Amino acid sequence: RTLLKPDSGIEGTVWDAADDAPVAGATIVLVDARGGQTAIQSDARGRFAREDLAEGVYQLTAGAAGYVTERSEIQLPHRGQLRGMRILLVPVRIRVLEIYRRASLPLLPSSELWACWTPRELLGHLRREPLPVGHGFERLSALFEGVYWGPPPALEQRVEEARQLADE
């Protein structure tokens, strides 16, 4: 019977959750209990590694331009579970699409139209049946179009803007 030796390093790969491709240039930041930071960059194949980290609890954040930041807590040393990590980053455009979809489904005459109508077709329909004053759907549609079909990378703050507009 063998016991695994305590491990004080981490390694893994950062992946795009939408297309399962590695994310080059992602930043993984580890913050210890005293606020000390260690930053690691993923390489061209999305891989990252850091050895000989101090014992303790760390707040881990992983992010890249055009993606929603992921956060978790890790404990060092570990028994191998932080080797071969797979960090999935969701593109901002996909998260904004999810918010737009949730907001638009109740406004469609039929949910089957979701995959058929463009945002502009839905807005044309809604203009024939006015929305309550202050409704943010028209602004949400413009934000969605800009993020989804605009030039990358979409800024992460656009996700919160979409949430606020969807709540109006």
Side-chain angles (χ1 to χ4, degrees):
R1 184 173 146 154
T2 61
L3 296 176
L4 293 175
K5 178 182 163 192
D7 190 340
S8 61
I10 64 169
E11 60 92 6
T13 307
V14 181
W15 294 93
D16 182 309
D19 66 11
D20 204 32
V23 177
T27 301
I28 297 88
V29 177
L30 301 170
V31 179
D32 65 28
R34 295 181 308 264
Q37 292 189 9
T38 300
I40 312 164
Q41 292 289 127
S42 66
D43 66 15
R45 295 194 296 188
R47 296 179 308 186
F48 65 92
R50 182 58 54 99
E51 299 300 329
D52 300 321
L53 294 162
E55 182 177 322
V57 175
Y58 290 83
Q59 299 303 314
L60 179 147
T61 59
Y67 292 90
V68 177
T69 302
E70 288 295 321
R71 293 171 174 79
S72 65
E73 185 175 277
I74 62 170
Q75 173 78 44
L76 293 173
H78 59 91
R79 301 274 186 203
Q81 68 270 30
L82 300 178
R83 297 289 179 174
M85 292 173 66
R86 182 174 169 91
I87 298 175
L88 297 174
L89 295 181
V90 176
V92 168
R93 64 181 176 79
I94 297 299
R95 188 57 46 85
V96 170
L97 170 66
E98 293 166 352
I99 294 165
Y100 175 79
R101 183 177 191 274
R102 280 192 306 272
S104 65
L105 278 173
L107 302 173
L108 289 164
S110 167
S111 62
E112 288 81 34
L113 293 173
W114 162 248
C116 301
W117 276 12
T118 66
R120 292 173 193 215
E121 288 172 316
L122 177 53
L123 284 172
H125 167 74
L126 295 174
R127 286 186 184 114
R128 291 186 293 277
E129 298 180 18
L131 291 169
V133 174
H135 198 283
F137 190 76
E138 190 161 347
R139 293 189 320 265
L140 174 60
S141 296
L143 184 146
F144 165 66
E145 286 181 329
V147 166
Y148 202 81
W149 289 291
L155 299 176
E156 187 173 4
Q157 69 192 38
R158 305 300 269 175
V159 173
E160 186 54 36
E161 291 172 29
R163 282 189 184 113
Q164 290 173 359
L165 291 170
D167 289 343
E168 285 185 17

